[in-house]
Amino acid sequence: MLSNSPTGVSGGAGSVPGRVVVVGASAGGLAAAEGLRRLGYAGHVTIVGNEPHLPYDRPPLSKQILTGELKPGQLLLRSAADIDALGVDLRLGETAVGVDLEGRSVILAGGAAVGYDALVVATGVRPRRLPGTEGLRGVHALRTMEDAVTLKDRLRPGGRLVVVGAGFIGAEAAASARGLGMEVTVLEPAAVPLAHALGEEVGRALTRAHRDHGVDLRTGAAVEEVLSRDGQVTGVRLTDGSVVSGRDVVVGIGTHPNTEWLAGSGLPLDDGLVCDEFSMAAPGVYGVGDVARWHNPLFGVTMRIEHRTNAAEQGLAVARGLVEPAARRPFAPVPYFWSDQYDMKIQAYGYLRGHEEVAVIDGDLGARRFAAAYRRGDRVAGIAAVGLPPKTLRAWRAAIAARRSWAEAVGGTLTAAG
């Protein structure tokens, strides 16, 4: 029987909590709350979110919002009526500033304390900033709805945009701006963009795609300073002394997990909230989504995944463990991510970082229609594809989940079509 008591249960591994507090009105936080209700949880649920908006989808911020295909109101993950139907205490526009593990409460910026029996941390990440750019007009990140709307209003045909960082966010912003008729320069310090994640061959293929679409993509280009006049960006100076002019600069140089509010709490923090294979950081405290660094037993490593699908799956997994503690299972997904750039649909399953070998197993890199497999140790650890329908990757996803050997998977017994 599920407890409705606000104080009666501990929220430990063997009991159902009476009060669940979710910090982060995000995809992962919402998935946790929805999962609780769908599984029959009748206890008290509080969601705390520092943005004033209902939970919304972030992947379109660097794509459909910039291009105008979607309006901000179309990003909501659930309508107000759907949220109301969950019967949760929704506290938007409020910021968590601390947690008292002994007293089991979350401290809000206004001084209020929200008690919990189980705490779900889903506070996500924030973009890294270039030093000296605080308050400058024309410097953009792409994390919030306001970020995307502000940048969209400045994208005009014939205008100039500088993008610092050729990761997925920077590449998507560059593709969106180029599609609107902007002159785009992308500055990437690495020799090959995304080589650390996708390998050099695939990274070069994606680089060629940007150049073929008219983007001035410069590799080995490190930023020394963002130039400005009267508080307005005028360009970027590189370490070689050259200057790239532009009144708008998108910064896509990575993220920081939002864990500062947990400092001093006693929770383990190391590039995220460190969790075990059940996404648990401490008794009654769980991590979900971009902020969580958890042990994935499928790959035998601790990972932090900044992708929408993983956040939702992890939120649901934590909810199930809270409602059915005796039947909880390790969270051991095959991570999935996608990226839309120009006419390319990039998809990947698995854990590609730290790969030791890449093999193109289908298609042609030059035609930008291919699949590449990734090896870690003696196992197939990932698959990435461009221009192929999702069903072609299903057999590879299954192979990764089944811990198939590299020799078996790549040696001719498995094809991209399955």
Side-chain angles (χ1 to χ4, degrees):
M1 181 175 179
L2 299 182
S3 171
N4 289 305
S5 166
T7 59
V9 292
S10 68
S15 59
V16 178
R19 304 168 301 176
V20 178
V21 173
V22 179
V23 180
S26 56
L30 177 61
E34 283 191 321
L36 288 169
R37 293 305 192 215
R38 289 176 181 173
L39 293 166
Y41 180 72
H44 192 273
V45 178
T46 300
I47 302 177
V48 178
N50 65 346
E51 292 187 59
H53 312 290
L54 292 172
Y56 62 90
D57 210 13
R58 295 187 191 274
L61 295 179
S62 55
K63 300 183 278 287
Q64 293 95 331
I65 290 294
L66 294 187
T67 61
E69 296 173 59
L70 294 178
K71 304 296 183 184
Q74 295 175 279
L75 298 189
L76 295 183
L77 294 169
R78 298 291 182 270
S79 68
D82 290 336
I83 299 292
D84 287 343
L86 292 176
V88 302
D89 176 13
L90 182 62
R91 305 192 183 192
L92 298 177
E94 297 198 36
T95 302
V97 296
V99 61
D100 178 358
L101 291 184
E102 185 175 350
R104 294 209 168 212
S105 64
V106 172
I107 313 303
L108 303 183
V114 184
Y116 68 82
D117 297 306
L119 171 62
V120 178
V121 177
T123 45
V125 297
R126 66 186 185 283
R128 294 178 182 269
R129 307 283 182 174
L130 286 172
T133 60
E134 295 78 5
L136 287 183
R137 296 189 304 278
V139 177
H140 307 272
L142 278 172
R143 181 64 186 175
T144 68
M145 194 179 294
E146 288 79 8
D147 291 338
V149 170
T150 298
L151 178 59
K152 178 189 179 302
D153 289 343
R154 296 178 64 89
L155 299 182
R156 296 287 185 273
R160 296 180 60 86
L161 179 69
V162 180
V163 178
V164 181
F168 286 109
I169 292 295
E172 289 170 359
S176 298
R178 189 70 191 124
L180 293 171
M182 299 278 290
E183 294 184 31
V184 180
T185 300
V186 177
L187 307 173
E188 168 57 45
V192 180
L194 295 171
H196 64 290
L198 298 176
E200 290 194 2
E201 280 190 283
V202 176
R204 289 193 185 97
L206 299 182
T207 297
R208 287 194 296 271
H210 284 281
R211 289 174 174 160
D212 288 349
H213 282 85
V215 172
D216 179 10
L217 197 162
R218 307 183 188 184
T219 57
V223 172
E224 180 177 275
E225 180 185 9
V226 175
L227 305 174
S228 64
R229 181 183 299 114
D230 298 327
Q232 167 64 52
V233 170
T234 60
V236 173
R237 177 182 290 118
L238 306 183
T239 53
D240 65 4
S242 62
V243 172
V244 180
S245 63
R247 290 178 59 80
D248 289 283
V249 176
V250 171
V251 181
I253 56 174
T255 62
H256 295 285
N258 290 322
T259 58
E260 287 75 11
W261 69 285
L262 300 173
S265 67
L267 290 170
L269 305 176
D270 181 11
D271 186 34
L273 176 64
V274 181
C275 303
D276 65 10
E277 66 271 28
F278 301 103
S279 303
M280 187 169 71
V285 180
Y286 301 83
V288 162
D290 299 4
V291 74
R293 175 172 291 281
W294 94 102
H295 181 77
N296 186 334
L298 179 62
F299 298 90
V301 299
T302 298
M303 59 179 66
R304 186 170 65 82
I305 303 293
E306 296 185 25
H307 298 302
R308 164 78 169 76
T309 303
N310 184 77
E313 291 178 348
Q314 194 166 25
L316 180 58
V318 166
R320 187 173 298 280
L322 290 174
V323 175
E324 303 171 354
R328 69 174 185 160
R329 298 190 300 270
F331 182 57
V334 176
Y336 168 75
F337 76 86
W338 78 95
S339 178
D340 295 316
Q341 301 172 30
Y342 310 108
D343 57 349
M344 297 187 300
K345 183 76 171 183
I346 305 166
Q347 303 174 83
Y349 283 104
Y351 189 61
L352 280 55
R353 290 179 181 271
H355 62 261
E356 299 164 47
E357 184 179 352
V358 183
V360 176
I361 47 86
D362 188 32
D364 179 10
L365 287 171
R368 294 195 284 273
R369 183 178 174 83
F370 63 87
Y374 296 78
R375 177 180 66 82
R376 285 171 54 96
D378 62 354
R379 288 175 47 194
V380 57
I383 183 78
V386 173
L388 298 177
K391 66 179 181 180
T392 64
L393 300 183
R394 289 174 186 163
W396 284 90
R397 182 185 185 281
I400 296 166
R403 296 182 169 91
R404 294 274 290 276
S405 73
W406 177 257
E408 181 184 8
V410 180
T413 60
L414 185 67
T415 68

